[in-house]
Amino acid sequence: MVTTLYDVAYFLSSSLLDALGTHLPGILGTALTNSGLIWLLAAVIFGAILLGASMINTIMLIWFERKMLGRFMDRRGAMHVGFAGLLQNFADGLKLFRKNTFKPREADALGYYSGPTAYMVTSLLIFGILPISSGWSDGSLPLTLLLALVIFSFAPLFIFVSAWSSNNKYSLLGGMRSAAQMIAYEVPILIAVVAVVVVAGSFDLTTIVNEQQNYWFWGPLFLALVVFVTGMLAEMERIPFDLPEAEAELVEGWNTEYGGMLFAFFMLADYLRALVGSILVVLLFLGGWTLPSYLPAGLTSFPLAGILWFMIKTYLVFGLFVWIRASLPRVRTDQLLRVGWMRMIPLSLLSIVLAVVLVAVRCLPVFGCLPPVGGT
Amino acid sequence: MAASAPPPEKTEENPILWVARPMWTAARQFAKSLVRPSTIIYPFERLEDPKFRDEVQVASGKPIGVGHVWDNYRGVHALNIATCISCNLCAFSCPDVCIEMVTVPGGDPKHPKKCPQIDYGKCSYCGFCSDACPEGCLSMTTRYELSSPKRADLVYSPQKMYEVFQRKLPMSPIRLERPANEDAILLDAPLCIGCNACARDCPTNCITMLDIPKAVAKPGEKLPRRIWKEPVVNDSDCVRCGTCISVCPKECLFWGTHP
Ligand code: SF4
Ligand code: SF4
Ligand code: SF4
């Protein structure tokens, strides 16, 4: 039986209201259990689960990065709060939460406050629509991938709004760099995704994952993977593409003026986007929650196995990002834009051609055959 | 944005290598420190631990003292209260004026025993005080941990430094021999009134008030009123602290060489 996450939320909400209803007198009890309250509560629980999952994962991701980066730098990373420093980031978050939120006198209040909030909310939205395992969403969104990428590309707008309304030259410069960079890398990412869509024949992420049951797409679509990962690095503004917040030049880039919880919003949203980027790589190229069929079936048959494997893959992909961050220096703006427009776009176009060839051939000697069209 | 002409590119080697080589280096480092990073978790582990000592020795190629701290490291002072003679030389020689002589139990009520108290907030660990100490009772140890959340904790009383002394940590070398041609305390005898102040305050009790031959008054001459004793300094016991000079009410003691 495949239960979706919403089913779980609905079950929780209905059993809660039922339990409440039996204890309430007559008409009130029936009103409680038979009204639309169940759906409302189910939606709230659904959202709460998603929020919790995304926040915990984001914070764990920061811990993971700190630990891994520590090893790359021959040190240990956070290690004192909680076991192996697991609670360090929660402590940091608590500290930021307790801090005063203030606004520079000359800043524009509307943009200053709404920028980080919208950035955070849109990043959360993407996490909400991505399927984490086969039972996560019921596939009622046929264009999940497109929707995710569209929401993903909102970010430069909010960054620019908050940068501009901060009324600080460093913020503004960072915001402009960010907008230029994100727009430049939006294009190759979308084209690279088209290659996946061509092969999988669908914009639905669940279908794309199911299409990878014979072989994962990272092999045959390696070019698209390279373009996608590079583009994602730029979208997440991680080293080597962290020009918008180049500390050496721009203080802290577009969030120079932010402190306290608003800064925490930016920080969390940044890592949330890194999480979402890693999840997208796993979904599009690494077979999502599935494992290769030659591995024993016992590895995937226990409850929540899909989520487990998915998370392991996601963290490994994020590990790759950290590895890149630990290795490469920051590029220059002109290099960044030249690579974006003059290398990445031709490469992504080439990957579409390869994808078309792959669909025409359908069988590759090394990787095996694609499933028949329309079937799963 | 990319309107400005890009600088001419030098492609001597494959750009893939620009990415691949640092990533390979980073991966090697990662694999190496996955077992144990070079970082020593300081408050919990320390370089003095035997397991790190070998590494340090190999790295510096030099012999080491106890742990990684050299034998003559100038850390927290150790004070042997029992042998301190309250000569004030340490406080006198401190360039940072961080030594204050405070009373410790053990002296007689008229002449309380005073020992140095050091404010490590000001101390520059120059070691002048322990060099100056004539009795070798103030010395610097290899103890280097004295951070504290309160400034007041940095003021080490004589008792606290005595505790450090009792731990028998390695101490910096003590120089006890005195320079050969040191100035001695001389007396401008006609000025001396025989008040005994110097002999009373000398920390080493090396001043003795000796009788001097009584001057015979010629007829009609009036002799100045005198107590017929004057100080004689035992040079080998004198530590040259200068206390006698500073307590003398008539300024009749001075530094000089014996004729
Ligand atoms: S080490 Fe130097 S600065 Fe410190 S108490 Fe002694 S004389 Fe003063
Ligand atoms: S120099 Fe030595 S003997 Fe003299 S007061 Fe200081 S510690 Fe005591
Ligand atoms: S300098 Fe004077 S007070 Fe000090 S030890 Fe010598 S004689 Fe005694």
Side-chain angles (χ1 to χ4, degrees):
Chain A
M1 186 189 72
V2 174
T3 41
T4 67
L5 183 65
Y6 183 74
D7 291 340
V8 176
Y10 188 85
F11 171 74
L12 281 177
S13 122
S14 63
S15 43
L16 187 69
L17 285 186
D18 275 344
L20 259 172
T22 49
H23 289 297
L24 285 178
I27 180 93
L28 208 57
T30 43
L32 200 62
T33 42
N34 292 342
S35 61
L37 207 56
I38 287 189
W39 283 285
L40 192 65
L41 193 61
V44 169
I45 293 180
F46 181 66
I49 294 178
L50 276 181
L51 185 68
S54 62
M55 281 300 105
I56 288 177
N57 266 306
T58 310
I59 290 179
M60 290 317 296
L61 215 58
I62 303 180
W63 174 82
F64 184 65
E65 166 155 32
R66 290 173 78 164
K67 288 305 253 190
M68 227 178 128
L69 217 50
R71 297 290 158 152
F72 273 116
M73 298 170 180
D74 209 0
R75 55 185 177 88
R76 286 168 203 261
M79 55 175 293
H80 288 307
V81 188
F83 172 73
L86 268 173
L87 296 182
Q88 178 68 55
N89 293 312
F90 291 93
D92 288 351
L94 206 63
K95 183 196 77 175
L96 286 175
F97 190 72
R98 287 180 62 244
K99 281 197 171 180
N100 196 0
T101 304
F102 75 97
K103 178 178 80 68
R105 198 176 335 121
E106 302 291 320
D108 179 62
L110 180 62
Y112 185 80
Y113 289 124
S114 63
T117 320
Y119 188 51
M120 180 81 192
V121 167
T122 47
S123 308
L124 275 173
L125 262 183
I126 320 173
F127 187 82
I129 58 174
L130 293 178
I132 301 297
S133 79
S134 50
W136 195 259
S137 69
D138 55 0
S140 52
L141 283 172
L143 295 180
T144 343
L145 177 55
L146 207 54
L147 184 57
L149 288 172
V150 165
I151 306 179
F152 210 81
S153 60
F154 282 167
L157 176 68
F158 300 130
I159 289 178
F160 194 68
V161 164
S162 42
W164 197 343
S165 48
S166 297
N167 201 2
N168 174 318
K169 60 184 172 214
Y170 298 118
S171 298
L172 185 57
L173 274 174
M176 289 195 312
R177 284 190 188 184
S178 168
Q181 161 174 340
M182 289 203 175
I183 290 167
Y185 278 82
E186 207 71 50
V187 183
I189 282 191
L190 283 174
I191 302 180
V193 162
V194 168
V196 177
V197 171
V198 165
V199 178
S202 167
F203 272 108
D204 181 14
L205 284 168
T206 314
T207 319
I208 291 178
V209 169
N210 289 336
E211 287 287 319
Q212 300 183 50
Q213 54 180 285
N214 288 358
Y215 55 79
W216 296 352
F217 288 160
W218 71 268
L221 293 180
F222 191 71
L223 212 52
L225 173 68
V226 169
V227 173
F228 191 80
V229 167
T230 317
M232 270 300 161
L233 277 178
E235 288 283 309
M236 299 173 202
E237 296 180 352
R238 294 182 65 82
I239 296 173
F241 299 125
D242 67 333
L243 292 156
E245 43 192 281
E247 282 95 351
E249 310 153 23
L250 295 184
V251 191
E252 186 54 28
W254 39 266
N255 51 23
T256 301
E257 289 293 349
Y258 285 92
M261 208 51 208
L262 290 178
F263 172 74
F265 270 13
F266 272 133
M267 187 80 185
L268 277 178
D270 266 350
Y271 277 90
L272 200 52
R273 283 163 65 82
L275 177 68
V276 165
S278 315
I279 287 180
L280 277 177
V281 173
V282 172
L283 284 172
L284 295 180
F285 296 99
L286 296 181
W289 50 86
T290 62
L291 281 189
S293 48
Y294 51 80
L295 290 178
L299 284 178
T300 50
S301 54
F302 57 90
L304 297 184
I307 295 185
L308 177 71
W309 291 117
F310 192 91
M311 277 299 136
I312 291 179
K313 286 186 202 174
T314 309
Y315 277 73
L316 284 181
V317 171
F318 186 71
L320 173 73
F321 291 146
V322 178
W323 181 12
I324 293 175
R325 171 177 173 178
S327 314
L328 300 183
R330 185 186 305 135
V331 298
R332 276 200 317 268
T333 312
D334 60 315
Q335 292 168 330
L336 172 95
L337 292 178
R338 207 172 50 242
V339 167
W341 292 108
M342 291 165 67
R343 302 278 194 282
M344 286 301 144
I345 291 185
L347 278 182
S348 53
L349 289 173
L350 189 60
S351 72
I352 292 195
V353 175
L354 289 183
V356 171
V357 171
L358 180 62
V359 172
V361 178
R362 299 215 64 79
C363 270
L364 286 181
V366 203
F367 297 108
C369 293
L370 282 175
V373 181
T376 49
Chain B
M1 264 243 155
S4 60
E9 224 174 338
K10 284 191 216 143
T11 43
E12 285 143 6
E13 59 181 18
N14 193 344
I16 296 286
L17 277 183
W18 298 350
V19 176
R21 210 185 290 132
M23 287 193 67
W24 170 239
T25 313
R28 271 209 331 252
Q29 175 58 54
F30 183 73
K32 222 191 295 169
S33 68
L34 207 56
V35 186
R36 203 182 77 75
S38 304
T39 323
I40 285 160
I41 320 171
Y42 161 59
F44 309 109
E45 302 172 344
R46 43 191 70 224
L47 278 167
E48 289 96 310
D49 292 353
K51 64 174 165 175
F52 301 119
R53 224 186 274 181
D54 296 342
E55 286 176 31
V56 174
Q57 194 153 20
V58 168
S60 64
K62 287 176 192 161
I64 47 170
V66 172
H68 75 296
V69 182
W70 290 75
D71 261 349
N72 58 352
Y73 183 84
R74 297 205 294 257
V76 175
H77 297 77
L79 171 69
N80 187 353
I81 295 186
T83 55
C84 174
I85 57 169
S86 315
C87 70
N88 198 38
L89 272 177
C90 48
F92 184 71
S93 60
C94 176
D96 296 341
V97 203
C98 55
I99 298 187
E100 195 187 325
M101 302 301 287
V102 297
T103 313
V104 294
D108 57 274
K110 258 206 197 135
H111 297 106
K113 178 166 182 166
K114 294 205 166 188
C115 281
Q117 156 187 295
I118 301 186
D119 182 356
Y120 284 104
K122 298 186 198 158
C123 177
S124 60
Y125 302 93
C126 63
F128 285 4
C129 50
S130 71
D131 277 355
C133 178
E135 300 297 308
C137 57
L138 187 67
S139 170
M140 303 185 83
T141 64
T142 51
R143 181 148 176 244
Y144 55 89
E145 287 161 320
L146 70 170
S147 60
S148 133
K150 272 188 289 172
R151 223 176 261 188
D153 289 352
L154 291 178
V155 179
Y156 273 44
S157 64
Q159 286 83 1
K160 207 163 167 190
M161 285 190 286
Y162 185 56
E163 281 164 26
V164 178
F165 171 77
Q166 283 168 322
R167 291 195 198 172
K168 305 245 178 298
L169 295 163
M171 297 191 203
S172 56
I174 295 166
R175 198 199 57 188
L176 278 178
E177 78 279 6
R178 313 201 60 84
N181 51 350
E182 214 174 17
D183 276 359
I185 300 287
L186 298 185
L187 176 69
D188 190 358
L191 293 179
C192 180
I193 55 168
C195 74
N196 198 37
C198 53
R200 182 194 62 204
D201 281 357
C202 171
T204 56
N205 291 329
C206 63
I207 302 184
T208 357
M209 301 303 283
L210 288 185
D211 287 344
I212 49 167
K214 197 168 185 171
V216 183
K218 295 203 181 88
E221 186 191 19
K222 196 156 188 316
L223 283 171
R225 183 176 165 272
R226 273 190 79 169
I227 298 166
W228 303 103
K229 276 180 189 293
E230 66 180 22
V232 174
V233 178
N234 177 352
D235 273 345
S236 57
D237 281 357
C238 171
V239 295
R240 273 76 174 169
C241 68
T243 309
C244 47
I245 295 182
S246 56
V247 297
C248 177
K250 296 306 252 183
E251 298 184 356
C252 53
L253 291 168
F254 60 96
W255 295 112
T257 44
H258 286 294

